[in-house]
Amino acid sequence: MYIGAHLSISKGFRAIVEEAKSIDANTFAFFLRNPRGGAAKTIDARDVAEARELMAAHGFGRLVAHAPYVLNPCAAKPELRAFARETMIDDLHRLAALPGNYYNFHPGCHVGQGADAGIALTTEFLREVLPEAGETTVLIEAMAGKGTEIGRTFDELARMYDGVGDASRLGVCLDTCHIWDGGYDVAEHLDDVIGAFDAAVGIEHLRAIHLNDSMNALGAHKDRHARIGEGHIGFEALLRVVKHPKLAGLPFILETPNDIDGYRREIAMFRARN
Ligand code: FE
Ligand code: FE
Ligand code: ZN
């Protein structure tokens, strides 16, 4: 089982791998730059080489880098779309230092243009960005449907996926809090949810899981993450996600409101029952 948490890259790659090890994680997520989209730190080749050696020695799975939250690939203003495109391409070029991993992004908010227009813009965005992905696989994250977010339904994810043409560097990341808030009952009907995803997108395109409880009720469209077992989904349901045979081998990333000790505790909860 590959399980980890979203950690800070501020002390570098070797330090983040050491921190992951210290909480019994064997994968992790990170931002390459400030989540608001600021300048990225320069990547030190030696630091990355040491990190990669350490991960290989300790059997780490694939990492899941996260695009800055502020990017809106389907913004109405062309300059905002250009900023999203340039920032993401820059991140992808940096990730060439860590080949073979994942990079997930939020498909965006249509800001009143309508979901169809938003989906068309984000699909076009992917067509422009994916040729720069190198050996990284870009993952569309399923969203809660807060405000004008696109990518709430598996059908919307499928339309983006199917629209890009060459999808060899594209996959999907499901966030348990987001899809619960989006109306998919992962607590009581997990098999049906996985079946619906398989029918719409194809289970083979599911590459990573963000493992979060939710502060809100099913279908609330809120997107407020809760600690594992302290939300409306619950620990036993999230344990069924982690143990589901169709999700075996995926990286499970905690994005719960926690400090490092909280992440260590949550990873231990899952490892104790797996
Ligand atoms: Fe996210
Ligand atoms: Fe997430
Ligand atoms: Zn979220």
Side-chain angles (χ1 to χ4, degrees), residues 72 74-77 80 108-115 118 121 147-150:
N72 188 3
C74 61
K77 292 185 178 148
L80 293 181
C109 295
H110 68 68
V111 291
Q113 302 170 97
L121 285 171
T148 66
E149 277 174 353
I150 62 166

Side-chain angles (χ1 to χ4, degrees), residues 153-155 157-158 161-162 172 174 179 184 189-206 244 246-247:
T153 66
F154 298 159
D155 176 61
L157 298 173
Y161 199 94
D162 295 339
V172 172
L174 291 183
I179 65 174
Y184 292 101
H189 299 283
L190 180 60
D191 283 330
D192 293 345
V193 173
I194 291 172
F197 182 87
D198 191 27
V201 183
I203 194 74
E204 67 277 20
H205 303 311
L206 179 57
H244 199 285
K246 290 204 165 149
L247 310 182

